[in-house]
Amino acid sequence: MTLSLPPFDILHTCHARPGHPVIFSCVLIAAALGGSFLSGASTALAFTKQRPNELQIGTDVLRRVKLFDGKFKGGATVAAADVNGDGVDEFVVGAGATGGSQVQIYRQDRTLIRSFFAFSPAMKDGITVAAGDLNGDGQAEIVVGPQPGHTPQVLVFSATGKKLYQFTSFESSFAGGVDVAVIPSRQGLPGNIVVSSGFGREAEVRVYDATGKNVIASWSPFGKTSSNGATVAAGWSDAYGGPVVVVGAGQGEKPLVQVYGLTSKQKLAQWLAYDPRIKAGVAVAFRNDIVITGPSVGGGPDVRMFTIRGQLQSSRLVYENNFRGGLNVAAAVINGLVTPLIVPTSAPTTAAAAGKRIVIDLSKQELTMYEKGKVISIRPISTGKWSTPTPTGEFKTRNKIPVAYSKAYGLYMENWMAITPDGKYGMHALPFWKLKGGGKLYEGAAHIGTPVSHGCIRQTVADAKSLYDWAPIGTPVTIVK
């Protein structure tokens, strides 16, 4: 394969320094992933974060499949495996944020085989999907996990949509979402289910047996300071002579890829898939000793293929150059070749939020809730102090976590909703410390109406709960001085 690097464009970003009080530094970054800094630029492209929900097969733009109703722009997740035992991979797609828990299965000729809902139809926050033969019968099972906002329950289905198993992959109080992967059955050995935690807790990977009853292995790939989650892929490696787990850094982190041996329980390889200055995180896929990567929200539409040891094989732009909505990827075998499957992860805004909008006025220290153009509530808030200011501009709610935890400050935050791609800024209730006996000590109740936070938007406990219940993921947030 030949290397095709994308053209350069400039992305102007402000980012927080991890592990420190929130201090903004604005830099010009070469958004062409793998590119270099450019100087003297005074303009930037208009970036887009939404596009039609389509499955693209390989890098050929003519091989696309419209997903779901053809109008939904909430993104998707994707997997590939032989679900019907005919020796040919099928494509498994799961709906993204606000799209519910719909699973669709396609043949390689792009015809729809089957569609079903993994969770209750009332669940609207999206899912992650994986597929692989767990029991050795020659037909792949489908594994489904929730995106942020729900208990980390993992479900296992047959290709017909019959639920086979379910288990809670992390503590039931965690609602930051999970990613899933499958190590398929081989050489008479049953397969394994791989689960990684999402945003809001120490990034952790757990490997379960084929039914989810027992944890075979677990580790924290990025250390105790990382709380932006991880992505996972898995399979058998001939190069390393056994099953491996491929881990990608979560959104807001450097695009680090790691490879672990399940048998040796050691890290076998590690590399940066893209320019480390683009802290968008990375989605990963694995098949036949090939690792496929795609940047998460904030990165460019650059799909790359690496050897299992990190040697770059190819790089292709799969969407318009200014797309920054993020990619999810899978690895399918088509005509004997490992082929990337690509779907966008872009989250919807006003359409999904049903006409809802949040406006935050820093000078007034007020949060205003709009619905269909009408003001329905105005609340006092506390935003960033002068040394750790709240960013201004256009944002949207990106996740919903009932109780998030800040390692930097040792505080818990109820009804958390992130508004930036890196998850460093959000709206939440007054932070609190846990007391012995189950009590809570809230911090800063008297400060509501005064800018004293580290950059987030603090609310009273009651206001935060009502906003959390009212605003779906994707609700537009405008912050003005």
Side-chain angles (χ1 to χ4, degrees):
M1 298 181 182
T2 59
L3 176 64
S4 176
L5 293 176
F8 291 116
D9 60 77
I10 300 299
L11 172 62
H12 186 258
T13 65
C14 293
H15 61 86
R17 297 174 183 173
H20 297 275
V22 181
I23 302 172
F24 274 82
S25 58
C26 294
V27 294
L28 284 175
I29 296 177
L33 305 176
S36 58
F37 279 99
L38 300 181
S39 60
S42 58
T43 61
L45 290 178
F47 298 114
T48 64
K49 292 188 177 180
Q50 287 186 292
R51 69 180 331 278
N53 227 349
E54 295 174 317
L55 166 63
Q56 181 164 316
I57 304 168
T59 57
D60 184 352
V61 297
L62 299 178
R63 300 179 71 190
R64 289 179 177 173
V65 184
K66 287 187 177 181
L67 302 173
F68 312 114
D69 62 3
K71 299 177 182 178
F72 169 61
K73 294 184 179 180
T77 57
V78 62
D82 178 10
V83 301
N84 56 16
D86 63 357
V88 177
D89 278 352
E90 282 75 42
F91 310 146
V92 181
V93 179
T98 75
S101 64
Q102 188 174 10
V103 177
Q104 293 185 332
I105 306 173
Y106 290 87
R107 296 186 180 90
Q108 290 192 12
D109 64 5
R110 295 177 284 178
T111 58
L112 179 65
I113 300 174
R114 187 169 293 107
S115 177
F116 64 91
F117 286 89
F119 295 95
S120 163
M123 188 273 208
K124 300 295 184 183
D125 293 320
I127 56 176
T128 57
V129 295
D133 182 6
L134 289 168
N135 56 19
D137 66 354
Q139 296 184 358
E141 281 68 45
I142 298 169
V143 179
V144 177
Q147 293 195 24
H150 298 272
T151 299
Q153 190 177 54
V154 174
L155 309 181
V156 181
F157 295 87
S158 70
T160 62
K162 178 183 177 181
K163 186 167 68 174
L164 303 175
Y165 312 107
Q166 66 181 56
F167 61 96
T168 302
S169 55
F170 296 98
E171 61 275 11
S172 59
S173 60
F174 173 65
V178 299
D179 196 22
V180 290
V182 170
I183 299 173
S185 170
R186 188 172 179 180
Q187 299 173 353
L189 299 175
N192 296 99
I193 300 168
V194 183
V195 186
S196 62
S197 60
F199 176 82
R201 75 185 298 279
E202 179 182 329
E204 183 181 358
V205 176
R206 294 183 180 180
V207 181
Y208 287 84
D209 63 18
T211 64
K213 293 181 178 180
N214 302 298
V215 177
I216 305 302
S218 66
W219 65 94
S220 298
F222 309 120
K224 295 184 179 298
T225 60
S226 173
S227 60
N228 281 357
T231 59
V232 284
W236 285 81
S237 168
D238 291 334
Y240 287 116
V244 297
V245 177
V246 181
V247 183
Q251 192 173 342
E253 301 289 343
K254 295 179 181 179
L256 186 65
V257 176
Q258 298 177 339
V259 179
Y260 291 85
L262 183 58
T263 303
S264 66
K265 294 182 173 59
Q266 293 182 347
K267 184 163 61 178
L268 305 175
Q270 175 176 294
W271 68 91
L272 288 167
Y274 303 100
D275 191 311
R277 293 165 292 188
I278 309 297
K279 295 185 177 181
V282 59
V284 291
F286 175 74
R287 195 71 170 272
N288 295 356
D289 283 330
I290 295 293
V291 175
I292 300 174
T293 65
S296 296
V297 176
D302 184 5
V303 171
R304 293 188 169 183
M305 300 178 70
F306 298 86
T307 69
I308 189 64
R309 292 185 170 89
Q311 182 181 2
L312 180 65
Q313 299 294 293
S314 69
S315 176
R316 297 286 190 276
L317 286 181
V318 294
Y319 298 142
E320 56 276 11
N321 187 48
N322 63 341
F323 178 70
R324 294 293 179 271
L327 308 176
N328 271 322
V329 292
V333 175
I334 301 176
N335 297 326
L337 298 176
V338 176
T339 304
L341 305 179
I342 306 109
V343 291
T345 62
S346 49
T349 53
T350 51
K356 297 179 179 180
R357 181 169 173 251
I358 299 168
V359 175
I360 294 166
D361 190 316
L362 300 182
S363 63
K364 294 181 179 180
Q365 290 293 284
E366 287 181 347
L367 182 151
T368 303
M369 298 160 58
Y370 291 85
E371 190 162 358
K372 296 181 179 178
K374 296 182 179 180
V375 175
I376 64 170
S377 182
I378 301 176
R379 289 103 177 270
I381 54 175
S382 176
T383 60
K385 57 189 175 182
W386 68 270
S387 58
T388 55
T390 299
T392 58
E394 299 294 330
F395 308 92
K396 62 186 172 186
T397 55
R398 294 181 173 272
N399 60 19
K400 300 178 76 171
I401 301 176
V403 182
Y405 178 66
S406 170
K407 289 181 178 291
Y409 302 104
L411 291 167
Y412 293 87
M413 301 166 290
E414 294 169 316
N415 297 307
W416 165 273
M417 291 189 287
I419 62 172
T420 56
D422 59 8
K424 296 185 182 299
Y425 296 96
M427 302 178 290
H428 59 83
L430 292 170
F432 68 90
W433 292 277
K434 288 185 177 180
L435 303 177
K436 292 183 178 179
K440 301 174 183 177
L441 176 61
Y442 287 97
E443 192 271 334
H447 295 155
I448 293 295
T450 304
V452 299
S453 81
H454 296 103
C456 288
I457 297 93
R458 296 182 182 181
Q459 309 160 76
T460 67
V461 174
D463 284 350
K465 178 64 167 63
S466 66
L467 183 71
Y468 183 92
D469 292 340
W470 174 82
I473 295 174
T475 302
V477 179
T478 301
I479 304 179
V480 298
K481 292 183 179 180

